[in-house]
Amino acid sequence: MKVEVERGEKNKVILKVEVPKEDVAKGMVAAYAKISKKVNVPGFRKGKVPKKVIDSHFGEGLVIDEMIKEVVPGSYERAVAESNVEPIDLPKIDVKEAGADHLVYQAEVEVKPEVILGDYKKISVKKAEVKVTDDEVKAQIESARNRKATLSVADDRLVREGDFVMIDFEGLLDGKEFEGGSGIDSMIEIGGQMLLPGFDKNLIGAGVGDELSFSIDATADFDAVEIAGKKVDFKVIVKEIKVKNLPEPNDEFADMAAGCKDMAEYKADIKKKLTDIKAAKAEEDFHREILIKLAEESKVDIPAIMVDRRVDDMVSQFMVGMKSRGVGSDEYFKATGSSPDILKESFKERAAGTVKESLVLEALAKKEKIEVSFEEVDKEIGELADGIGEEKEDLKKTLQERGVISDIEDDLLMRKAMERLVEMVKAKADKKDNKEEETGK
């Protein structure tokens, strides 16, 4: 097959394809067979209409049109492979010549853009120092004490900060009840996270049996659209006051909270866990900053279609997250005063950034000759199967049917490219540190 490649504007490529005569001939045979099964010709059963009859009744032009439909898809895929271009959209096909023994067409398609990589071997990023303070350890212990706390009734005193109070309450908006504004035997923590900020402060100093009336101005950005920016009147009956009893931070508590023999071991355990968490976060931030630097120092004309697709993916993931929290798309847009277009626009800048980062990493993989082997893909599928409790071969079959094996391969390639980049940055930093040590000597 003869293929000529012509660069168009921006990221457009025009493939001029001349299909081999034998392929056209096969396409004509397939076209006649397909038409024979579709048409109704008196005296002939469907699928048994001869070529001459088809030509005389419908004209050879119909057959050639059908041949084009048969031949173009496969020949286009071969032309793409032979030309080593990477389409990111469907092609626009323009047939130049077509007959019973020849076919010439042009395919204009947008391809992945050229990436001019920054000098990634000179990237320098310092990883954040990991340090855990005594105050952070203490805060974790206090959090554990609060989780293990018990409540006891305190009828002999008034409500204080930190108490738990059982109440009946009724909320009125313009003199009428509203959804979620009333409750019976509701337990609230004074100073805790309240749905309506300021509600709990009105209970401080009250006693069991007291009936309270007060108003609260809901903020304009309050989650419940119905009362956002409006004044809400409340009637409250205090039914019970409970005080929180914290366990003593001693060796017995260390055993109860974490199975440690004493507080010293418990503190050491907390410090290690916090250190591990901070170290993981520092490493993640380190990787992220390296990639951002590479993207900033690289040049690429980001195709709008790639950004739009990434935006669609982000919006889809966002709405799935909302749905998992019990919020439907209509409900979300109504509550926020947003719209699908506004939501898409809010993701656009981030989407453009992630597309550029992907293109840059892909270019790095090519430059460094990084590849993904069949064994690596197979291992990844095995790990995915283990994670969801499925047989590897069953999962592989499903992934093949969905045509997403290449996505796994692409993901692995990006990860390997990122690992190589991080290795180079770390090696550069180590070399610099060693040189400074030698100079210091």
Side-chain angles (χ1 to χ4, degrees):
M1 185 168 64
K2 184 179 178 182
V3 182
E4 294 180 9
V5 181
E6 181 182 309
R7 290 284 169 179
E9 294 181 355
K10 289 191 175 182
N11 302 313
K12 297 288 179 66
V13 164
I14 297 172
L15 300 178
K16 297 179 180 180
V17 183
E18 184 177 335
V19 181
K21 289 185 177 181
E22 56 268 28
D23 290 348
V24 175
K26 290 177 184 177
M28 290 293 288
V29 171
Y32 274 115
K34 185 171 285 188
I35 293 171
S36 179
K37 292 177 182 178
K38 291 180 181 179
V39 299
N40 290 308
V41 178
F44 296 94
R45 289 182 296 161
K46 282 188 176 182
K48 300 296 182 180
V49 185
K51 294 180 182 179
K52 290 183 179 180
V53 175
I54 291 174
D55 289 342
S56 62
H57 276 70
F58 306 101
E60 190 181 48
L62 176 67
V63 184
I64 291 173
D65 286 344
E66 193 65 44
M67 177 272 291
I68 292 171
K69 294 176 186 177
E70 287 286 323
V71 173
V72 166
S75 62
Y76 168 72
E77 287 185 10
R78 285 162 52 201
V80 165
E82 289 178 16
S83 304
N84 199 30
V85 296
E86 298 179 86
I88 58 174
D89 199 4
L90 295 174
K92 293 179 181 178
I93 303 296
D94 181 13
V95 177
K96 296 299 183 181
E97 299 177 29
D101 61 354
H102 67 284
L103 175 61
V104 178
Y105 67 88
Q106 288 186 355
E108 183 182 36
V109 64
E110 190 167 6
V111 298
K112 284 186 178 179
E114 179 186 5
V115 177
I116 302 175
L117 279 174
D119 192 347
Y120 54 90
K121 293 183 179 179
K122 289 186 177 180
I123 290 177
S124 179
V125 173
K126 188 174 182 180
K127 185 159 51 172
E129 184 181 352
V130 175
K131 185 178 180 182
V132 175
T133 66
D134 291 341
D135 285 343
E136 287 173 316
V137 173
K138 184 178 179 181
Q140 289 294 311
I141 293 173
E142 289 305 302
S143 177
R145 290 179 70 202
N146 274 283
R147 290 195 301 272
K148 298 292 184 180
T150 58
L151 298 178
S152 59
V153 177
D155 289 331
D156 58 339
R157 65 171 179 78
L158 304 180
V159 176
R160 300 174 187 169
E161 186 82 19
D163 284 348
F164 285 77
V165 185
M166 182 182 289
I167 61 171
D168 291 344
F169 68 98
E170 179 184 33
L172 301 174
L173 181 64
D174 297 328
K176 297 179 181 179
E177 291 189 27
F178 59 92
E179 186 177 354
S182 300
I184 296 175
D185 291 343
S186 296
M187 184 71 77
I188 67 169
E189 181 183 6
I190 307 301
Q193 297 293 322
M194 295 297 298
L195 283 175
L196 194 57
F199 181 95
D200 57 331
K201 302 301 180 185
N202 287 278
L203 305 185
I204 293 176
V208 174
D210 285 355
E211 296 184 13
L212 311 174
S213 295
F214 53 86
S215 299
I216 294 178
D217 293 321
T219 57
D221 60 351
F222 189 65
D223 288 344
V225 178
E226 187 178 2
I227 64 172
K230 298 176 182 178
K231 180 181 177 182
V232 183
D233 300 313
F234 284 100
K235 293 179 181 179
V236 177
I237 299 175
V238 178
K239 300 178 75 173
E240 188 176 57
I241 303 171
K242 288 190 174 183
V243 62
K244 181 163 58 176
N245 304 302
L246 296 173
E248 289 296 320
N250 51 28
D251 294 346
E252 184 180 347
F253 173 71
D255 180 42
M256 176 179 64
C260 296
K261 65 181 181 181
D262 53 32
M263 282 301 292
E265 184 179 300
Y266 183 35
K267 288 178 181 179
D269 182 61
I270 291 174
K271 189 168 186 176
K272 181 182 182 305
K273 288 176 179 176
L274 287 177
T275 300
D276 290 344
I277 291 170
K278 284 192 171 187
K281 181 66 168 57
E283 187 71 18
E284 182 183 335
D285 291 344
F286 179 61
H287 287 210
R288 183 83 193 120
E289 193 174 345
I290 291 171
L291 182 55
I292 289 173
K293 272 204 171 186
L294 178 60
E296 286 175 347
E297 295 174 9
S298 301
K299 295 179 181 179
V300 56
D301 183 10
I302 307 171
I305 189 171
M306 293 184 76
V307 176
D308 291 341
R309 286 174 181 165
R310 188 62 59 90
V311 166
D312 288 341
D313 288 343
M314 288 178 166
V315 169
S316 178
Q317 291 170 13
F318 178 80
M319 295 317 301
V320 167
M322 286 291 103
K323 190 174 181 180
S324 69
R325 292 159 58 184
V327 181
S329 56
D330 291 341
E331 186 181 358
Y332 170 78
F333 291 128
K334 182 180 178 182
T336 59
S338 183
S339 69
D341 287 340
I342 292 174
L343 184 61
K344 283 184 177 182
E345 191 63 32
S346 70
F347 282 117
K348 208 157 192 177
E349 185 176 349
R350 199 191 331 162
T354 58
V355 168
K356 183 177 182 180
E357 288 164 5
S358 296
L359 290 169
V360 166
L361 270 182
E362 195 172 284
L364 175 69
K366 287 181 181 178
K367 183 97 175 192
E368 290 290 314
K369 295 181 173 55
I370 300 170
E371 295 180 346
V372 174
S373 67
F374 169 82
E375 290 76 17
E376 287 173 317
V377 174
D378 194 61
K379 181 183 177 183
E380 182 74 6
I381 294 173
E383 291 175 356
L384 289 172
D386 290 341
I388 61 175
E390 190 173 338
E391 291 295 325
K392 184 175 81 172
E393 292 307 315
D394 291 340
L395 178 59
K396 186 185 295 185
K397 183 179 178 181
T398 300
L399 295 173
Q400 287 171 338
E401 290 172 350
R402 293 178 181 174
V404 294
I405 295 290
S406 60
D407 293 341
I408 294 175
E409 188 174 352
D410 290 343
D411 184 57
L412 280 170
L413 184 66
M414 294 298 98
R415 278 155 50 187
K416 289 182 72 173
M418 190 68 223
E419 287 168 6
R420 178 74 60 84
L421 181 60
V422 170
E423 285 171 5
M424 287 188 284
V425 174
K426 285 183 175 179
K428 183 175 181 293
D430 290 343
K431 188 175 181 181
K432 181 182 177 183
D433 291 343
N434 290 336
K435 188 174 181 180
E436 288 176 352
E437 286 178 11
E438 290 173 6
T439 304
K441 290 178 182 178

